[in-house]
Amino acid sequence: MTIALPLAILWFGALFIALFDGTRKPVGYTAVGLLAAALAATVALGIDVHRHGPKEMGIAGWEAGVGIALRADMLGITFAVVSLVVLTTALWFEVSRDVKARIFPALVMFMGLGLTGLFFTGDAFNFYVFFEISMVAAYVLASYGESPRQLRAALIFIVVNLLGSVLFLVGIAAMYHNTGWLDMDRISVQTPMLEENPVILTATIIFVAFSIKLGLFPFHFWLPAVYTGTRPAVAAILSGALANIGSYGLLRFGADIFPRELREGAWVMLILGSISIVYGGVQAIARHSPNEVLAYSTIGQVGYILIALSIGGEAGYAAAILYAVINALNKTLLFLSASLRGWIAGAAFAVGAFSVAGVPPAGGFFGKMVIFQIGIDDGRPLIVALVFVGGALSFVYMFQLYRARFWINQEADEATTKGALALVVALALAIVLIGVFPEPLLSISREATSILPERAP
Amino acid sequence: MTLFISITIAVIFGSAAYLMLKRDLIRVITGMILLGNAANLFIMAAGLRRGRAPVVPSEFETSDSLVQAMTLTAIVISFGVATLVLSLVYRVYDAHHSVDLRRLGSVEAVQSGLDDQPTAHVIQAADDAQDARQDREIAARQGGRW
Amino acid sequence: MTTEMTRTTCRILLLPILMISVGVLVKGYADIGDGFSAGVIASLGIILQGVAFGAEEFDRLPLVRYAPLATFAGLFLALAVAFLPVVSGDPIFLHHPVAGDSATHFGALEFITPVLFDIGVFLIVIGFCVGSIGAVARETVRRERDRGAQAETRRGSPGAPAERGDRR
């Protein structure tokens, strides 16, 4: 199984789909099929990596360090699989209702391409290039629908995220200047030997860049504006697939390249994470429109990932990966099902809501439980309290939202099609399955941390 | 030389940040383009060696070619993004007849205010008035066009 | 409107500019130049025609009409060159003949697969620059026309558009 296969499917597929009118159903379903094929190829690659260890491909046969390398390890593959699942589901959902713009399916595929590329690349600058491919797709997606409000939200999104991209670029240039390498493996070997100050500065810049993507507390202000005006499928894509860049970037650059700086900055991340959880929860309770509630909920959920990162060590990193995966699925399910009507959609939404609140048997329970367990084991009452407070807050706003959407207000914004319902139900079942049989996901996330250095806390 | 480049980057970055805080969307975009240029200059400054243009074979000390390749890529990306944003602003202008962020905010507040008819009329009238004014301005400013 | 002098100069300049761009494209392997800069030079030459002759005339140029298609063809060519080696189990972007082997020369041009990749980049750049600027120009013209029509209905006098046209 070669690393190039998922990328090849996505590149040629996106180009092919862009030639045709995406508002037509056959084109849309072809795009869904191509995304699913890329997903299958990625899963096959993951099985291969699981059996035989990480794979590497030097572009044009150059050895790593000289040329650009593609590298597939468990961490990248986990995020790639989750992102592709979210993109496939969201696109399918939109196609089963009605695609409004002819370029939409091609854009979703280009975003999948950018995401898969950046999860598989071993080169810091190449990471930036793929990152920009997916960001440009996201910029256009944010204006999808083209109502004046969406256009304005898209502008805010672009301005803020462009700032993040530029910061990231500056961080890469600084890394290159300090270490003389662009290959991430070489950089991670070099950074511990460098003086501390320039590395701390670089690490901070990169942390800020990814926090902007994630919508972490002080950098969150663009997030509700963008999510509120947009269509459910786009909101699901932004929060379920695009936000993975932030979690993956923090893990890859934080835990892999700057482990020393991550340890020193752990208390900052703990504080920011805690504020995010409380702020997101309180704001979500105060809001009414479903997209707005879910947007603030996203800000809150990101806090858990940051707290898991600040705990560090194998358990902490595994918890961060687990939480990022489950959170992406939760948010996709919630954004999609909140736009549907009927008791089936309500039940699916309830599964997502329980998962966010961390109630068994939904998958979110394990994300919270792992963090909770670490808090108990390490004897850190603050983390234990946070898990409880965050869970309680999310339970309250999720219940409010459920009541407003499925009990009081029964009329639908748009047609609830059978296909859309089936998708939402499938996603809900998947989350319940993760909750009932968490062992595979737990072991995958543990395996994904095996490539990160300094796993001992 | 390093000091000179750092000061240049700082000035460009500062101007970009100042422009991005403006209400006029055209200025915001100018700020975004400047910001990209500041980053490009930073990448160039991050090069490991300075010398002649890196064309091989050369008997002189050549400068670091990797940063130049990176800068070229970054320029292309920021060019593409700038095109995209400009077309988006054009769409905003088409829809609102304005590129002033505060004005756009007030129009939006009215639109989301459950279609308050009287206010909507006021805004429409204001739009028409501004439209006419802009027409006159454009006509006064421009002699010819391609 | 531009003067006769400008228009004639622009028309005469088009072919030399395209020739220079092709020159920059093919000598990129032994000298300065590559597909990207060649594409920028060529699209500048084409856009110059638009500046001189106006958007309507610009649209009639075959190079402009097929610009989006050029982007697709270029991207497809570049991708094919990048991914074809995978079929035989080699890493992506592996070029033939491989590094170290000698290639056939024709003047400054070397017959190696990266030339195809660069031609792809050349086409993408031309298609993107010409296509995006052409689209904006077209939209501007359409808007001006709409505005003229709107102003006419608003004032309700048939003489108004002509007067506006004169002022511009």
Side-chain angles (χ1 to χ4, degrees), chain A residues 149 153 277 318 331 342 355 440:
Chain A
R149 186 189 188 139
I277 292 175
K331 281 283 138 37
S355 187

Side-chain angles (χ1 to χ4, degrees), chain A residues 47-241:
Chain A
I47 293 169
D48 201 4
V49 167
H50 175 71
R51 292 211 182 117
H52 308 292
K55 279 181 170 294
E56 187 168 301
M57 177 193 269
I59 283 182
W62 296 102
E63 55 186 284
V66 180
I68 297 169
L70 291 180
R71 211 169 277 142
D73 49 33
M74 232 26 204
L75 180 63
I77 287 174
T78 312
F79 277 96
V81 167
V82 173
S83 309
L84 285 174
V85 165
V86 170
L87 288 176
T88 314
T89 318
L91 181 62
W92 199 338
F93 183 87
E94 192 65 13
V95 171
S96 81
R97 295 175 109 185
D98 255 332
V99 177
K100 296 276 194 293
R102 56 172 293 157
I103 196 71
F104 182 81
L107 277 176
V108 175
M109 292 203 70
F110 272 116
M111 178 181 272
L113 155 74
L115 289 172
T116 317
L118 80 86
F119 295 141
F120 283 176
T121 187
D123 181 274
F125 191 76
N126 204 16
F127 187 101
Y128 168 76
V129 174
F130 277 118
F131 171 92
E132 280 295 314
I133 291 179
S134 50
M135 284 320 289
V136 169
Y139 296 156
V140 186
L141 279 179
S143 65
Y144 171 59
E146 298 197 342
S147 78
R149 186 189 188 139
Q150 276 153 358
L151 286 176
R152 191 162 162 262
L155 271 173
I156 297 172
F157 179 63
I158 295 177
V159 171
V160 174
N161 278 285
L162 206 71
L163 198 63
S165 303
V166 167
L167 280 180
F168 182 58
L169 189 57
V170 167
I172 288 175
M175 267 193 309
Y176 174 66
H177 186 73
N178 285 335
T179 61
W181 292 102
L182 280 173
D183 191 82
M184 292 201 228
D185 272 7
R186 306 289 173 114
I187 296 175
S188 67
V189 173
Q190 291 277 323
T191 40
M193 298 176 219
L194 293 171
E195 251 188 274
E196 241 174 78
N197 277 347
V199 183
I200 287 182
L201 188 62
T202 317
T204 313
I205 287 176
I206 287 179
F207 173 71
V208 171
F210 284 124
S211 303
I212 291 176
K213 304 289 152 186
L214 262 179
L216 195 69
F217 166 63
F219 316 104
H220 67 279
F221 49 91
W222 60 271
L223 207 141
V226 175
Y227 284 16
T228 308
T230 188
R231 286 176 65 79
V234 176
I237 288 173
L238 292 183
S239 69

